[in-house]
Amino acid sequence: MILRGLEVEQVRRFGDAVRLAGLGPGINLLGAPNEFGKSTLLAALRAVFLLPHGSKARPVAELQPYGGRGAPRVAVDFTLDGCDWRLEKRFMQRAFVRLEGGGERLDGDAAEARLHDLLGVEGGKRGAEAMGLLNALWVGQGHSLVQPDFSDPARATIRSCLEADLDAMTGGDAAGRVLSRVAADLAVLLDGRGNPRGRYRAAKEGEQEAAAELARLEARRQALEDDLNAMADLRRRLAHEDDADRREKERADLAEAGRVRDRLRDHDARYRAARAVRDHAAAQLAAVRQDLAGRTAWERDLAAGVARVAELEGALLTAQGAQDAAGAAHAARLEAVRVADAARQAARGALDRAAGRVERARLVHERGEAAAALDRLDRAAQAVTRASAELAACTIDDARMGAIRKAERALDAARAASRAQATTLDIALADGGRGRLVLDGAALESGRVVVTDNAVLRIEGIGTICIEPASHGRDTLRAALAGAEEALRRALAAVGCADIAGAEAALAARRQAELAAQAAQTVLGGLLAATGQSPVTAMDVARRRLADLDVRLGRIGAADGEDIAGDPVAVLDAAREAMQVAEERYGAAHQALLAPDETMRRAAEDLARLRAEWQVARDGAAQLARDLEAARAVEADEALSARLAAAHAGAEAAELALLRIEETRPEGTEALADAAIQRLERTIQEGHARLAALRQEMAAREARIRAAEGDGLDERIAAQERLRAAHAAEDAACAREVAILQCLRDAVAAAERAATERYLAPLARAIQPALSALFPRAVATVEPDFSISALSRRIDEPFVNLSDGTREQIAVLARLGLADLMRARGRPAMLVLDDALTYADSGRLDRMFDILTEAAGRLQIVILTCRTELFTGLGARRLAVEAVGDATAEGH
Amino acid sequence: MRLLHTSDWQIGKVFRFADDDILPVLQQERLEAIGRIGRLARAQGAECVVVAGDIYDHLRPSERTLRQPVERMRQFPDLRWHLIPGNHDFNERDGLWERLARTGLPDHIVPHLAPVPAPLDAAGTAWLLPAGLGHRHVIGDPTAWMDGAATPEGTIRVGLAHGSVRSFGEEAAGHNLLAIDRARLAGLSYLALGDWHGAMRIDARTWYSGTPEVDGFDVGGAGGGQALLVTLDGPRAEPVVEAHAVGRFRWARAQAVLTGADDIAALEGRLRAIDPDDPSRVLVWLAVSGALGLSDLEGWQARIVDGLGSALRLLRIDGAPGLAPSSDDLEAFGPGGAVRAATETLARQAGEGDEAARAVAAAALQRLYLLARDVAGGMA
C-alpha cells in the first residue's frame, strides 16, 4: 500500500484545504516544528481510513476546527495491489464518503464496506474506529514507546497472516474465545485465588450452616428423647409412689408393727415378773439349804475341834521335854568357854615374858651398833682435820709454779740470745792436753764452747787469752740475762724453794696432800651422806641415841626372863604357838556357845505354836458349841427340814410358771419391731417428699417437652436434612462444573500454546533480521498476543526493564516486522511513525536508518518529526504541506 | 352403612429432592386431599372416615403442622373422623396425640389410642376395633386382640390397623406384622389397613387404602392417590369397595435411551401423555442415557430439559445423553487448530484414567463443542 496524497480541510488547525505533498514509495519525512499539525495529519489519515463517515464519536469531534464547528474533510490517494484509489470523507455536517478506483465508484456504506474489505479491517461499533492492524502500525505521538496494542481484529489479521504459512487454520482465535468464555464461566464459581465464590460458595456455606443447624436440632431432639425417657421413668416412679394400696399397706404394716411391739413389751414384762418370782423362790430354797448345810458343818467342825485340842495337848508335852534338854546343853557349852579363856590368859603371860627377853637382846645389840658408828665418825673427822692442816702447809701451788716456769723460760731465752751473739770456741784437745785448757777457771774438754761474755782462757802452759766477744748489744743482753735470773730467783724464793726441781717436788707434795684431804673428806661424806648433817651434829645425834638406848636398857632391866634358859627367840616362838592353841580353843568354845542353837529355837517355837493352836482350837470348839446350841434353840433340826421341803416346792412352782410364759413368747424381738416401725415411718414420711419431688421434676420435664414439641423438631430436622442435601448436591454440581471447566481450560490452553508456538515462529523470523541488526546476537521472545515480552542477549531482559530508547526501538521494529509480514501476505501495510526514535543515540539511530531504509524498499514509511536535523542522514523523501491549488510539491 | 377408608396422609412430609418452589406445593396438596376426601365422603353418603394411621409424617411436628389436618377435618362436622396412630405418628407418652388432645379436638374427630371397641357411627350399628401403634415398631400383631374383642350382638365389626400383613404360615419375626386373615379370625366385616402407599386388596374384607396424595415415584399396589368407599350392608355381608381418586399429582418414573432426534421426540410425547390436560400435575423421575450429536443435544436441552422441565411440576433427570459428535461437528473446527487439538486431547482423556476423570473429560469435551459452536456462531 502506497499513500500518494493526503488532503485535509477544516481539520483542527487546518481550516482551509491543504495537501501533504511529496508522498511516494520508500521513506517519507515530514519535518516541521511543534504545533505545525503533524499529529493532526496522522489523525486525519486514521479518520479517513478507519472512522465511519457518519460517526460523531469523540475522535471525529476532535477533528473539528479549533474555535468553531465545521465539517472535517479528508481525502487520500493510495495505491493498493497495483490499483490506484481515491478516498474522500466528510464528517459531521453533510457527511459523505466516496471511494473511487479500479473502475469503481462507491459512496456511503458501500464505500465503507469496500474500504474495510480493501484494508482488511473490521467496522467499529457506534462510530468508533474500524479495527485492524493499521491502527497498530500508525503510531501516534507519545505511543511509540509502547508496543502495538492489538485489537481482536488486529490479532485475527496477524493470526491469519501467520496461519497462511502453516497451511492450516490454527483455530487460535476460536480457542481464545473459548478460553475467555471458560474463564468467564469459571470466574462465576471461583475467585482470583481459586476459592469458591457465588453459588458455589453459597452452596458450601449453606451446607455447613445446614449441617450445623442439623446438629443443633439433633442435639435438641436427643434432649427431648432424654426428657421423654426420663418422663416415662418419672411416671413409673410416681405411679409406684402414688399407689394408694401400697400406701395403705404401708400404714397397715406400721400399725401391725406397733401391735407386735406392744405384744412383745407386754410379754417381756410378764416374763420378767415370773422370772423375779422364780429367782425369789430359788433364793429362799438356797437360804434353807445354806442353813441346813451350815448346821451340819458346825457339827462337823465341833467334833474336829475337840479332837484337835486333844491332839495339841499331847504335842505340847513333847515340846516341853525337848526344850528342857536344849537348856542343859547350853549350860555345858558356857562352862567350856570359861575354861578355855583361863588357858588363854596363862598362855598370854608366857608369851609376854618371852617377848621381853627378845626386846632386851635387840636393844643391847643396837647400842653396840650406835657406839661403833660414833667411833667411826670421830675418826673420820680427825683424818679430815689432819689432811687439811697438811694441805695448808704447802706454799706452792699451780699458779706459783706457772710463774716459776715462766721466769725459767725467760731466762732460757735471755741465755739463748746471749749465746747467739757469743763467740764459739771449737776445742780439740791433743792427747795430754786435757785439763790444760781452762776458760774462766773451768777446764775445757774437746768440743765447742760458746763464750758469751768476756772470758779469760788460760792455757796451761801457754798463758791466758782474754776473749771479748764482739757481739752487738752485749750490754743489753747481759742486763736481760741478769733480770731473768733475778726474776727466777724471786719466784723460787716466794715458794721457799732453792731451785726449780725443789719447786717441782713441793708441787708434787701438795698434790699428795690434796688427795689425802679429798679421801678423808670422802670417808666423812660417806658417813654423813645418809643423814645430811654436819659432822658435829651427826656426832651429837649418835651420842643422844646411845644415851637413849642406855635408858631403855635400863628400863627393861634384867629382872624378867633372865631365869629362863634357852634361846629367847625359840622361847618366844614356843610361847606364840601355845598362845595360838589357847586362842583357837577359846574361839571354838566361844563359837559353840554363840552358834545358833537350832534345837532349842525349834523347841521353843514348836512350844509357842502349839500353845497358840491349842488356844485357838479350844476357843473355836467352844464357840461352835455355843453357836450350835443357840441355833437349835431358835430352830430345831426338824423345823429346818420342814422349811427345806416347803422352799423346794415353791421353787419348782415358780420355774414352771416361767416356762409357761416363755412358751407363749411372740415372734421377733422388740429391737426388730422398733426397727420395722422406724423403717415404715420413714418410708411413709419420705414417700410424701419423694412424691412432691417427682411431681416437681415431672412438671419441669413436661414444660420442656412441650416447648420442644411445639417447635416441631422432627419436621425441622427433615427440612434441614433436605436443605443440607440440596446444598450438598449444589456443591457437588459446582465442583463438577469447576472440574469440567478447568479440564476444558487446561486442554484448550495447552492446545493453543502449542499452536501459538508454531505460528509465532514466522513473526519472530520477520522481526529477527532487524533485531539482529540493531542488537547483535539478541533474540526476542514473542508472546501469543504478539507482544515482545523480553529481549534475550546474554540474559533475559523483560521488556519493561529495558531503557526508553531500547523499548522504543523494539516497538518500532515490532511494527516494522508486522508490516513486513502483512505485506508479504499481500495485505495492505504501511508504517507511520509520529515523533518516533527521539530517544535513540546516534549509533542506534544510524542502524535504525539502515533498517528503515532497507524496509522502505518493500513498504512505504511515513515519518513525522519536529527534529528534522536528526533525520537528515536518512535520505528520505521530504514532504511538505501546501494549500490546495499550489502546483509545486516539495521533495521528491 | 358407608364409610370412607383412607390412610397415610403423612402431613408435614419433606421431599428431599424438591426445591424450595416445589416442596410447599407438594406439602400443601397433601392437606388439600383431606378436603377432597371429606367432600367425597359427603357426596357418597358415607357417615364416617376411618384413617388407618400415619396422619402425620413426623412424631414431633410443628404446632402449625399439627393443627392443619384437624382444621381441615373440622370443616366436615357431619362426618365422624376415626384416627389411629401409625408407625410415623405412633402414640408415645407425652407425644403428638397428647398434644393433639390438648388442642381440644371437636367431637367428630375421634382418635383411638387404646385397643378398645368404639361405636363407629352415632347409631351404634357398627363398632370400630382400633389397633393404633404405641411404638414405631411393635413386636407381635397389634390386631390380635380383635379376635376376643366383644361388640354388641348383630353389629358390624370394622377393624382399623396400621402395618404390613403377614403371609399365611409366615412366622418370621417382624415389626407391626398383621395376620393376613385377621378379618376372618376376628369376625370383622371389614379391616381397614394403612402403611402401604398404594391401594391394595388383600381379601374381600381386608384392604389397604394407600395414601390419598402420592408421595413417591415407587408406590406399590394400585398406586396412591385414592380413597376407598366401603359399603357394609350387614355384619355378614361382603363389603363393596370402590376406589375413588382423590390425589392431584401423578408421579412417574421413566427411562430413555437417546440416540437421535426421534428418540427425543418420542420421549417428549411419552411424558406429555402422562397427563395431556395438565402436565403441571405430573412429577417425573427420568433416567436417561445414550449419545447425541450436537444439534440433537441442543434438541434434548430445548425440548426435554427446558421444555418439559417447565411444563411438568417436576422433572428430575438422572444421567444425561452423551455427545456423539458427527463429522460435521468436527469439521466446524477446521482441519487443524487449537480447538481441534483440545478436542482430541479431551477425547483421549475421556477414554482413559479413572471413572471420575473420564466423566469430567467427557463433559468438558461436550462443553467444548457447545462453546466452540457458540463462538463460531458469534463470529459468523
Side-chain angles (χ1 to χ4, degrees):
Chain A
M1 176 181 177
I2 305 294
L3 190 66
R4 288 181 292 102
L6 172 66
E7 280 179 33
V8 298
E9 184 180 1
Q10 301 226 353
V11 176
R12 298 188 191 167
R13 68 187 312 281
F14 300 114
D16 298 331
V18 295
R19 175 190 304 131
L20 184 62
L23 282 164
I27 302 175
N28 296 257
L29 176 69
L30 175 59
N34 292 332
E35 307 293 330
F36 176 82
K38 297 185 294 296
S39 297
T40 300
L41 292 174
L42 176 57
L45 188 65
R46 291 180 74 119
V48 73
F49 276 114
L50 301 174
L51 286 168
H53 66 284
S55 171
K56 291 187 170 54
R58 202 174 69 165
V60 172
E62 285 174 353
L63 285 177
Q64 287 188 295
Y66 296 152
R69 295 158 60 89
R73 184 186 69 81
V74 187
V76 285
D77 296 294
F78 62 97
T79 305
L80 188 60
D81 295 336
C83 182
D84 290 337
W85 295 89
R86 180 179 173 80
L87 170 67
E88 185 174 4
K89 280 187 183 175
R90 186 159 65 206
F91 299 95
M92 307 304 278
Q93 290 91 31
R94 300 190 309 283
F96 77 90
V97 59
R98 173 168 298 162
L99 180 65
E100 291 177 87
E104 291 180 71
R105 176 178 173 150
L106 300 165
D107 292 298
D109 289 344
E112 294 279 13
R114 183 75 176 106
L115 178 61
H116 289 169
D117 193 35
L118 281 175
L119 298 177
V121 298
E122 193 176 303
K125 288 173 183 166
R126 292 193 292 279
E129 270 190 351
M131 307 296 271
L133 200 55
L134 286 177
N135 316 48
L137 297 181
W138 295 345
V139 185
Q141 196 173 18
H143 290 86
S144 61
L145 271 182
V146 294
Q147 293 192 47
D149 181 15
F150 301 112
S151 59
D152 283 349
R155 269 199 283 272
T157 305
I158 300 170
R159 209 171 269 127
S160 65
C161 289
L162 296 172
E163 284 169 345
D165 254 11
L166 292 173
D167 199 22
M169 292 289 281
T170 63
D173 183 51
R177 289 175 187 233
V178 166
L179 276 180
S180 43
R181 282 281 297 275
V182 170
D185 288 352
L186 261 179
V188 171
L189 296 172
L190 297 178
D191 64 14
R193 288 194 295 271
N195 295 322
R197 65 184 292 186
R199 59 180 263 252
Y200 192 9
R201 184 175 171 183
K204 277 193 180 303
E205 290 175 351
E207 189 184 358
Q208 282 172 3
E209 283 168 16
E213 175 66 10
L214 198 55
R216 204 176 59 77
L217 290 171
E218 296 277 12
R220 283 188 59 201
R221 180 160 69 180
Q222 187 55 51
L224 177 60
E225 300 276 1
D226 293 347
D227 275 342
L228 285 170
N229 289 336
M231 193 69 178
D233 183 53
L234 286 171
R235 204 166 266 125
R236 275 195 298 278
R237 283 163 59 193
L238 183 69
H240 178 74
E241 294 291 344
D242 206 20
D243 184 3
D245 292 347
R246 197 177 130 270
R247 285 162 70 184
E248 184 53 42
K249 183 175 179 305
E250 280 172 358
R251 278 195 292 275
D253 287 349
L254 179 62
E256 178 56 26
R259 282 193 292 278
V260 166
R261 188 179 61 180
D262 290 347
R263 276 200 301 276
L264 279 167
R265 281 180 177 168
D266 179 51
H267 173 273
D268 195 49
R270 282 190 295 119
Y271 179 78
R272 269 182 293 169
R275 198 173 56 192
V277 169
R278 182 201 64 179
D279 290 348
H280 180 67
Q284 279 185 329
L285 180 59
V288 173
R289 279 179 176 152
Q290 198 178 350
D291 286 354
L292 203 57
R295 189 166 294 186
T296 310
W298 279 348
E299 283 170 348
R300 192 176 59 244
D301 290 350
L302 183 59
V306 170
R308 175 71 177 154
V309 168
E311 181 192 346
L312 283 172
E313 279 169 351
L316 265 176
L317 284 175
T318 309
Q320 189 64 54
Q323 194 189 24
D324 291 347
H330 182 69
R333 279 195 301 275
L334 205 56
E335 178 60 22
V337 167
R338 195 189 56 78
V339 170
D341 191 41
R344 190 183 61 167
Q345 293 297 334
R348 179 166 299 281
L351 180 60
D352 288 347
R353 279 191 303 278
R357 277 188 66 198
V358 172
E359 179 64 12
R360 181 180 172 79
R362 190 187 61 80
L363 285 174
V364 168
H365 175 73
E366 196 172 325
R367 188 187 179 283
E369 291 286 317
L374 180 61
D375 186 47
R376 278 193 303 272
L377 196 57
D378 190 34
R379 278 197 302 272
Q382 286 171 14
V384 167
T385 306
R386 269 192 315 276
S388 296
E390 284 171 12
L391 190 58
C394 290
T395 55
I396 194 162
D397 58 9
D398 284 341
R400 282 176 177 166
M401 190 66 206
I404 292 168
R405 283 177 185 145
K406 189 177 174 186
E408 186 187 19
R409 280 193 303 270
L411 181 61
D412 286 347
R415 280 178 183 153
S418 181
R419 263 196 306 272
Q421 296 292 325
T423 302
T424 306
L425 297 182
D426 287 320
I427 300 160
L429 293 176
D431 293 340
R434 189 163 184 167
R436 293 170 63 194
L437 208 54
V438 176
L439 184 63
D440 286 341
L444 291 176
E445 299 289 338
S446 294
R448 179 175 285 186
V449 175
V450 176
V451 179
T452 58
D453 207 346
N454 294 343
V456 178
L457 182 58
R458 191 182 47 86
I459 308 170
E460 192 184 330
I462 302 285
T464 64
I465 304 167
C466 287
I467 304 167
E468 190 174 339
S471 61
H472 177 68
R474 196 181 56 179
D475 295 335
T476 309
L477 287 173
R478 199 178 288 164
L481 188 60
E485 282 169 349
E486 177 60 23
L488 180 60
R489 193 193 51 78
R490 276 198 308 274
L492 287 170
V495 294
C497 292
D499 55 13
I500 290 174
E504 289 287 358
L507 185 61
R510 180 183 174 92
R511 292 247 165 83
Q512 286 302 316
E514 278 177 357
L515 285 172
Q518 202 168 354
Q521 195 68 42
T522 303
V523 170
L524 182 62
L527 291 172
L528 294 176
T531 61
Q533 293 166 331
S534 68
V536 178
T537 312
M539 285 171 67
D540 284 349
V541 169
R543 284 188 194 101
R544 276 197 301 273
R545 170 143 180 81
L546 200 58
D548 179 49
L549 286 170
D550 286 342
V551 171
R552 284 169 65 185
L553 274 173
R555 267 207 309 271
I556 292 171
D560 276 351
E562 293 303 323
D563 54 336
I564 298 171
D567 181 18
V569 175
V571 171
L572 180 63
D573 288 343
R576 274 182 183 140
E577 281 174 15
M579 180 68 196
Q580 181 74 23
V581 171
E583 278 291 351
E584 284 172 0
R585 283 183 183 154
Y586 173 78
H590 194 251
Q591 186 70 28
L593 180 65
L594 290 186
D597 189 348
E598 200 59 28
T599 310
M600 185 162 167
R601 189 187 57 80
R602 202 178 300 129
E605 275 181 11
D606 287 351
L607 189 61
R609 180 176 54 79
L610 288 170
R611 276 191 184 134
E613 284 181 9
W614 174 79
Q615 190 73 37
V616 169
R618 198 192 54 184
D619 290 354
Q623 184 63 42
L624 276 173
R626 280 196 302 277
D627 287 352
L628 193 58
E629 199 56 38
R632 282 185 176 137
V634 171
E635 187 176 27
D637 287 350
E638 296 76 24
L640 186 60
S641 298
R643 189 155 64 88
L644 175 65
H648 218 283
E652 277 181 356
E655 188 66 39
L656 202 61
L658 186 64
L659 278 174
R660 276 202 294 275
I661 290 173
E662 181 64 34
E663 280 165 2
T664 61
R665 171 181 288 279
E667 286 297 313
T669 66
E670 198 176 325
L672 280 176
D674 278 342
I677 287 168
Q678 281 174 12
R679 179 177 58 76
L680 286 165
E681 280 174 349
R682 199 166 54 240
T683 304
I684 290 168
Q685 199 170 4
E686 288 175 357
H688 292 302
R690 278 200 301 275
L691 212 55
L694 283 173
R695 284 189 173 128
Q696 200 173 352
E697 192 180 348
M698 280 175 72
R701 296 263 185 196
E702 200 170 348
R704 278 220 297 275
I705 288 167
R706 287 195 184 171
E709 282 183 337
D711 263 7
L713 274 180
D714 284 356
E715 207 172 326
R716 287 177 64 186
I717 285 170
Q720 210 57 234
E721 280 170 343
R722 183 191 74 88
L723 196 60
R724 185 177 63 171
H727 284 308
E730 174 75 355
D731 181 37
C734 287
R736 179 177 157 78
E737 178 74 5
V738 165
I740 289 168
L741 288 171
Q742 285 174 337
C743 175
L744 180 54
R745 179 193 63 190
D746 294 347
V748 174
E752 192 196 28
R753 199 158 44 245
T756 305
E757 281 168 7
R758 276 188 294 147
Y759 70 68
L760 281 178
L763 179 58
R765 280 201 301 276
I767 296 171
Q768 195 57 45
L771 192 75
S772 298
L774 194 58
F775 308 106
R777 292 182 300 284
V779 177
T781 304
V782 184
E783 293 299 313
D785 66 353
F786 311 114
S787 66
I788 292 172
S789 62
L791 195 61
S792 304
R793 286 184 274 197
R794 282 178 300 280
I795 52 168
D796 282 354
E797 296 170 83
F799 185 80
V800 291
N801 290 356
L802 298 170
S803 70
D804 287 349
T806 304
R807 277 158 54 203
E808 187 186 47
Q809 290 145 26
I810 288 175
V812 169
L813 291 182
R815 290 183 171 88
L816 203 56
L818 285 169
D820 232 5
L821 196 66
M822 290 177 66
R823 188 203 56 78
R825 304 289 182 273
R827 302 289 178 121
M830 66 163 286
L831 199 58
V832 179
L833 302 173
D834 184 7
D835 255 349
L837 298 177
T838 50
Y839 295 96
D841 61 32
S842 57
R844 290 267 181 90
L845 197 61
D846 285 347
R847 283 202 288 284
M848 282 301 296
F849 285 174
D850 294 342
I851 291 165
L852 290 173
T853 306
E854 194 273 334
R858 301 187 293 276
L859 54 89
Q860 185 186 30
I861 300 170
V862 176
I863 297 174
L864 311 175
T865 182
C866 61
R867 302 179 69 180
T868 317
E869 73 282 359
L870 287 179
F871 293 86
T872 50
L874 192 55
R877 187 187 291 273
R878 300 295 290 270
L879 304 180
V881 174
E882 57 190 27
V884 174
D886 283 2
T888 57
E890 282 188 22
H892 46 92
Chain B
M1 73 165 298
R2 282 190 154 185
L3 59 88
L4 202 64
H5 171 195
T6 179
S7 72
D8 298 279
W9 294 355
Q10 299 200 250
I11 302 301
K13 178 161 183 159
V14 174
F15 299 90
R16 285 206 185 182
F17 57 83
D19 62 23
D20 291 349
D21 295 332
I22 294 172
L23 178 64
V25 177
L26 296 180
Q27 289 181 326
Q28 186 64 24
E29 208 54 41
R30 302 193 78 71
L31 280 172
E32 299 300 338
I34 300 171
R36 291 195 285 273
I37 288 165
R39 287 192 289 278
L40 174 67
R42 253 186 206 157
Q44 297 294 333
E47 297 166 59
C48 58
V49 180
V50 294
V51 190
D54 281 358
I55 286 92
Y56 298 97
D57 191 55
H58 300 294
L59 200 55
R60 282 138 207 156
S62 69
E63 201 62 25
R64 179 177 165 80
T65 305
L66 184 76
R67 288 172 182 270
Q68 275 176 328
V70 175
E71 293 307 317
R72 300 294 168 139
M73 290 184 276
R74 200 190 291 276
Q75 292 168 14
F76 300 91
D78 49 329
L79 295 172
R80 282 173 78 83
W81 299 75
H82 296 279
L83 318 177
I84 60 166
N87 62 321
H88 276 258
D89 54 359
F90 63 89
N91 178 29
E92 72 170 346
R93 199 65 202 266
D94 301 300
L96 75 85
W97 292 96
E98 288 185 23
R99 287 172 66 196
L100 207 55
R102 285 199 296 273
T103 63
L105 291 175
D107 291 343
H108 69 284
I109 301 174
V110 189
H112 298 276
L113 307 179
V116 179
L120 193 57
D121 54 356
T125 54
W127 282 71
L128 183 71
L129 280 61
L133 298 181
H135 297 281
R136 191 177 300 284
H137 304 300
V138 176
I139 305 294
D141 185 346
T143 61
W145 72 279
M146 293 178 185
D147 295 359
T151 50
E153 192 67 30
T155 54
I156 297 169
R157 287 157 69 89
V158 174
L160 183 60
H162 188 91
S164 302
V165 290
R166 191 176 61 212
S167 308
F168 288 107
E170 186 183 336
E171 290 299 332
H175 300 308
N176 314 339
L177 280 183
L178 315 177
I180 198 165
D181 54 349
R182 180 61 63 203
R184 183 181 60 78
L185 293 173
L188 302 178
S189 303
Y190 183 74
L191 176 55
L193 297 179
D195 197 21
W196 293 2
H197 285 210
M200 181 176 275
R201 175 186 186 275
I202 301 301
D203 62 28
R205 296 183 186 276
T206 307
W207 285 75
Y208 281 98
S209 66
T211 179
E213 184 65 49
V214 183
D215 59 352
F217 293 99
D218 299 303
V219 178
Q226 295 171 321
L228 302 180
L229 180 66
V230 182
T231 306
L232 298 163
D233 289 335
R236 303 280 176 269
E238 192 164 289
V240 180
V241 180
E242 295 171 46
H244 288 261
V246 289
R248 179 182 170 205
F249 291 122
R250 307 188 63 174
W251 298 55
R253 261 183 185 277
Q255 284 192 335
V257 179
L258 304 177
T259 55
D262 294 346
D263 295 337
I264 296 169
L267 176 63
E268 185 184 9
R270 191 146 56 92
L271 297 183
R272 285 190 185 278
I274 293 172
D275 192 339
D277 299 335
D278 187 0
S280 75
R281 294 194 302 207
V282 177
L283 292 85
V284 172
W285 186 356
L286 173 63
V288 68
S289 58
L292 298 170
L294 262 183
S295 62
D296 290 340
L297 213 51
E298 281 185 318
W300 151 261
Q301 182 70 31
R303 298 181 68 171
I304 306 295
V305 179
D306 297 339
L308 267 179
S310 306
L312 303 180
R313 176 61 56 182
L314 174 81
L315 177 58
R316 182 180 176 187
I317 302 173
D318 280 357
L323 177 66
S326 66
S327 56
D328 290 347
D329 295 334
L330 282 171
E331 284 310 310
F333 299 115
V339 175
R340 182 69 178 262
T343 60
E344 285 160 6
T345 303
L346 291 172
R348 193 177 63 252
Q349 289 175 354
E352 61 189 27
D354 63 73
E355 178 75 33
R358 283 211 306 275
V360 166
L365 181 60
Q366 186 172 336
R367 190 73 59 90
L368 178 58
Y369 273 107
L370 296 170
L371 277 175
R373 195 205 44 202
D374 287 355
V375 166
M379 287 175 75

